[in-house]
């Protein structure tokens, strides 16, 4: 984790300060996450914390012990920053997979969500990246990911509509090809 305190003399707004910090500290686009942005009192400093994406594997893969039914985890909170507007979006993820000899510890699914959400992103890409990562690492019979999020770029600027949720879904394998499995996931 890198902590940066930016003096805001000269009237820089928070978006300009973030861009300045990225450039100043040489942080690469793909490894930057704005996890905590707060004003210090008096409002002369912007406090930004960056979580760097860890290299290496997030998943510890276990034997499924012959379990071959759907595993679904709901309401995994996530927070990200819109790569287009540098404003937060946040919501919940739902992840499901059907094991094919391999499972993961339940906390690892939350870690996978964080791995892809904790950077400048868009919701559609996070959804696909989570599903494709789990498909690659677990080789399951199927995997499904659904994200439901509020976007501050829509609530604070532009159209200014509050409490609007955007839902994105990625289905792979049996979730895509079997309507009963798809419906079980979507209704869980």
């Amino acid at each position: 984790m890198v902590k940066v305190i930016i003096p805001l003399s000269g009237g820089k707004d928070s978006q300009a300060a973030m861009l300045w910090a990225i450039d100043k500290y040489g942080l690469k686009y793909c490894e930057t996450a704005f996890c905590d942005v707060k004003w210090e009192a008096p409002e002369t400093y912007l406090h930004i914390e960056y979580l760097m994406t860890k290299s290496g594997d997030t998943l510890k893969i276990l034997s499924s012990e012959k379990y071959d039914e759907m595993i679904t985890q709901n309401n995994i909170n996530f927070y990200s920053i819109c790569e287009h507007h540098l404003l937060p979006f946040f919501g919940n993820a739902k992840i499901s997979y059907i094991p094919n000899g391999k499972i993961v510890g339940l906390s690892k699914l939350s870690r996978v969500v964080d791995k892809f959400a904790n950077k400048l992103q868009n919701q559609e890409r996070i959804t696909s990246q989570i599903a494709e990562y789990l498909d690659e690492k677990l080789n399951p019979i199927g995997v499904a990911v659904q994200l439901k999020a509020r976007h501050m770029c829509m609530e604070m600027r532009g159209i200014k509509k509050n409490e609007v949720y955007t839902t994105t879904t990625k289905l792979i394998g049996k979730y895509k090809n079997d309507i009963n499995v798809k419906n079980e996931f979507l209704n869980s």
Side-chain angles (χ1 to χ4, degrees):
M1 182 175 309
V2 177
K3 291 184 181 183
V4 180
I5 298 175
I6 302 170
L8 290 180
S9 57
K12 292 180 183 172
D13 63 13
S14 61
Q15 189 177 54
M18 287 183 212
L19 293 171
W20 175 82
I22 291 170
D23 183 57
K24 166 95 171 138
Y25 294 96
L27 300 174
K28 293 181 182 171
Y29 161 82
C30 64
E31 61 187 15
T32 305
F34 302 106
C35 298
D36 187 20
V37 179
K38 61 186 175 187
W39 293 99
E40 295 286 321
E43 296 181 4
T44 55
Y45 291 91
L46 178 66
H47 212 79
I48 302 175
E49 291 186 6
Y50 299 92
L51 279 184
M52 308 306 281
T53 303
K54 294 179 181 176
S55 59
D57 217 345
T58 304
L59 294 179
K60 181 178 180 184
I61 298 172
L62 310 166
S63 167
S64 69
E65 300 182 25
K66 299 182 184 175
Y67 186 82
D68 62 358
E69 298 293 327
M70 187 182 296
I71 298 170
T72 303
Q73 204 171 66
N74 291 305
N75 297 320
I76 303 168
N77 293 333
F78 74 91
Y79 303 88
S80 194
I81 298 290
C82 170
E83 67 186 4
H84 302 114
H85 304 105
L86 293 178
L87 288 170
F89 65 96
F90 54 90
N92 293 302
K94 175 165 60 169
I95 298 177
S96 185
Y97 68 99
I98 301 170
N100 187 18
K102 301 174 191 172
I103 61 172
V104 296
L106 295 178
S107 69
K108 302 307 184 254
L109 296 177
S110 293
R111 291 183 194 278
V112 171
V113 172
D114 289 345
K115 174 184 178 79
F116 294 107
N118 285 349
K119 56 182 91 178
L120 291 173
Q121 267 287 23
N122 68 56
Q123 183 174 334
E124 298 85 350
R125 186 181 311 117
I126 296 170
T127 307
S128 293
Q129 286 176 330
I130 293 167
E132 291 164 2
Y133 180 80
L134 290 172
D135 189 49
E136 176 190 331
K137 297 295 182 182
L138 295 176
N139 193 29
I141 294 167
V143 64
V145 175
Q146 187 173 70
L147 269 57
K148 183 177 178 181
R150 290 175 55 193
H151 292 253
M152 293 300 101
C153 52
M154 188 170 165
E155 292 190 28
M156 295 172 59
R157 56 174 298 285
I159 192 96
K160 294 185 181 173
K161 296 292 181 187
N162 295 327
E163 302 282 331
V164 174
Y165 290 86
T166 300
T167 303
T168 52
T169 306
K170 176 74 174 181
L171 306 172
I172 298 174
K174 198 163 187 176
Y175 289 90
K176 189 167 190 138
N177 302 324
D178 185 324
I179 191 70
N180 293 325
V181 173
K182 178 180 181 176
N183 285 336
E184 184 179 345
F185 167 72
L186 292 174
N187 294 317
S188 66

